Amino acid sequence: MSRIVTLDEFIIRSEKANVDATGELTGLLRDIGVAAKIVNREVNKAGLVNILGVDGASNASGDEVQKLDMYANDKLIECLQNSGECCGIASEENESFLPIKALSTKNAKYVVLFDPLDGSSNIDVNVSVGTIFSICRRKSNVKKSVDLKDFLHKGVEQVAAGYVIYGTSTIMVYTTGNGVNGFTLDPSIGEFCLSHRDIKIPARGQYYSVNQGYYLKFDLEMRRYIDYCSDLNLRLRYIGSMVSDIHRILFQGGIFLYPNTRKYPHGKLRLLYECNPLAFVVEQAGGKAINTKLERIMEMQPVELHQRTAIVIGSPDMVDEMKEFVERYSASPSQQF
Ligand code: P6P
């Protein structure tokens, strides 16, 4: 049986292997791991304590907020505020960013953007949910409080990104730009332990993941591509929790699509704290992530905090195939019927 490698040990070893490391990112990743353990404890007993159900509020994107959303949001903010390594936070649950006053004399240089509990509509029915996070360097003068431009990073500027999936087991998957690794929480010792080293996404897979209920609301080329997946006898798997749908694809191959619709003409999913971090992880595992204009997600220039985008993400051969499909269908209208 191979020796247990905890998340903390792995992060510290990675820091030592990087001559330029200063330990700040290490501290930040460990703090996110602590927050994930705290959130996990509550997610696992959500059915037993009064944190199920809606608390009546709605978030910056107008989504109804579940109590566990707010609990997860509060815990992540608390852990990051106390870390001393973070100078600003942006969350799906907060209209604006939150400057963090440095607890110590150090001038923290990282901002953290997150969706504290993605897929929260699934909480009451005991379906997997997840936390998604993205870590970027601030752009403004470290002596001053952060401002909006410190958060509007292209995905390629991320320093680290990842997610925690609270499912049959709780797994943290993250990248700092040198590959992707997964850590499974061992409740008996309260540690995330290395369980999936150097994750690589299969070049193609048997799954496609899209909300088929919106089929008639997608653009023609998207509908034709979904028909193509069906003709290939691919299997449709759609949980309605982006983290869970993409976690499957990361390990088994496949493609996830959330195209633009009439209700969401620019797509539903958020660029900064959902699509960019998941695109970073998937690209580092050998996959691809584009929008329905066929632009690389990680090259998109954000202009606002809660900006949405359409996304197609997953196995590289399948994303390439989808691109060719769209180019063919959207090239000449006469071919579209
Ligand atoms: P729909 C969850 O609310 C979420 O933000 C993602 O996790 C998920 O992929 C998507 O929305 C589901 O949206 O419109 O299919 O219910």
Side-chain angles (χ1 to χ4, degrees):
M1 178 179 167
S2 57
R3 189 175 72 80
I4 289 177
V5 177
T6 66
L7 173 66
D8 280 7
E9 184 183 345
F10 187 89
I11 292 171
I12 289 166
R13 269 206 228 148
S14 307
E15 176 202 334
K16 286 179 180 154
N18 174 356
V19 290
D20 302 325
T22 59
E24 291 159 300
L25 182 60
T26 296
L28 217 39
L29 287 167
R30 295 173 69 181
D31 292 320
I32 290 172
V34 170
K37 285 190 258 189
I38 295 170
V39 172
N40 174 67
R41 184 186 60 198
E42 297 308 312
V43 166
N44 279 348
K45 61 183 183 184
L48 301 175
V49 296
N50 180 29
I51 50 174
L52 277 181
V54 176
D55 75 355
S58 62
N59 63 22
S61 304
D63 296 337
E64 210 163 50
V65 176
Q66 303 268 351
K67 288 179 184 175
L68 211 48
D69 269 356
M70 291 319 292
Y71 178 84
N73 198 49
D74 294 347
K75 287 304 163 194
L76 272 159
I77 291 172
E78 189 181 311
C79 286
L80 292 169
Q81 276 175 331
N82 298 334
S83 76
E85 311 296 359
C86 173
C87 56
I89 289 172
S91 165
E92 180 195 36
E93 303 305 343
N94 298 82
E95 179 68 32
S96 182
F97 61 87
L98 304 171
I100 307 285
K101 296 261 177 299
L103 290 175
S104 57
T105 53
K106 75 164 66 177
N107 297 304
K109 63 186 177 194
Y110 292 113
V111 294
V112 182
L113 303 92
F114 56 76
D115 180 352
L117 214 58
D118 172 66
S120 52
S121 56
N122 291 312
I123 293 170
D124 287 2
V125 291
N126 204 27
V127 170
S128 302
V129 292
T131 296
I132 312 171
F133 62 90
S134 171
I135 301 175
C136 301
R137 277 190 190 80
R138 70 178 297 170
K139 294 178 177 175
S140 58
N141 182 325
V142 292
K143 303 289 183 196
K144 295 181 177 170
S145 181
V146 289
D147 60 33
L148 182 58
K149 70 169 178 292
D150 288 310
F151 297 89
L152 300 182
H153 289 266
K154 284 186 178 182
V156 289
E157 295 172 318
Q158 294 175 102
V159 175
Y163 63 86
V164 181
I165 181 169
Y166 310 100
T168 43
S169 56
T170 296
I171 300 176
M172 180 166 167
V173 174
Y174 82 93
T175 182
T176 56
N178 299 302
V180 182
N181 294 282
F183 302 79
T184 300
L185 183 62
D186 179 341
S188 67
I189 58 173
E191 291 284 359
F192 279 106
C193 301
L194 183 60
S195 51
H196 303 84
R197 187 189 289 271
D198 195 20
I199 300 167
K200 293 297 178 202
I201 189 170
R204 64 175 51 249
Q206 292 304 305
Y207 297 106
Y208 71 109
S209 185
V210 65
N211 187 329
Q212 193 77 20
Y214 301 153
Y215 176 84
L216 294 176
K217 298 176 177 68
F218 293 147
D219 293 340
L220 176 73
E221 57 270 23
M222 280 300 132
R223 281 181 272 143
R224 290 293 175 266
Y225 178 70
I226 292 167
D227 295 341
Y228 173 69
C229 291
S230 179
D231 291 344
L232 289 176
N233 294 319
L234 297 185
R235 281 169 272 178
L236 177 59
R237 291 287 188 279
Y238 191 75
I239 298 174
S241 162
M242 187 181 191
V243 170
S244 310
D245 285 317
I246 289 179
H247 185 73
R248 174 206 308 280
I249 286 168
L250 187 65
F251 286 90
Q252 298 185 343
I255 191 167
F256 173 92
L257 308 99
Y258 203 116
N260 44 296
T261 63
R262 280 184 223 123
K263 181 179 180 183
Y264 295 113
H266 301 292
K268 173 185 182 185
L269 302 173
R270 290 80 167 180
L271 175 60
L272 285 176
Y273 45 78
E274 289 178 335
C275 295
N276 268 345
L278 292 174
F280 193 13
V281 167
V282 167
E283 284 201 7
Q284 280 290 310
K288 293 193 173 183
I290 59 174
N291 60 28
T292 45
K293 294 185 195 127
L294 310 186
E295 298 157 338
R296 186 182 172 204
I297 289 286
M298 296 221 312
E299 289 288 358
M300 291 176 69
Q301 178 56 58
V303 295
E304 58 178 30
L305 213 46
H306 301 289
Q307 178 171 336
R308 299 176 189 267
T309 179
I311 185 169
V312 177
I313 182 172
S315 293
D317 292 2
M318 297 178 81
V319 173
D320 285 345
E321 208 169 47
M322 177 265 169
K323 277 177 73 170
E324 288 159 20
F325 214 92
V326 169
E327 282 157 355
R328 174 152 46 91
Y329 268 100
S330 49
S332 49
S334 59
Q335 286 180 342
Q336 290 190 5
F337 299 98

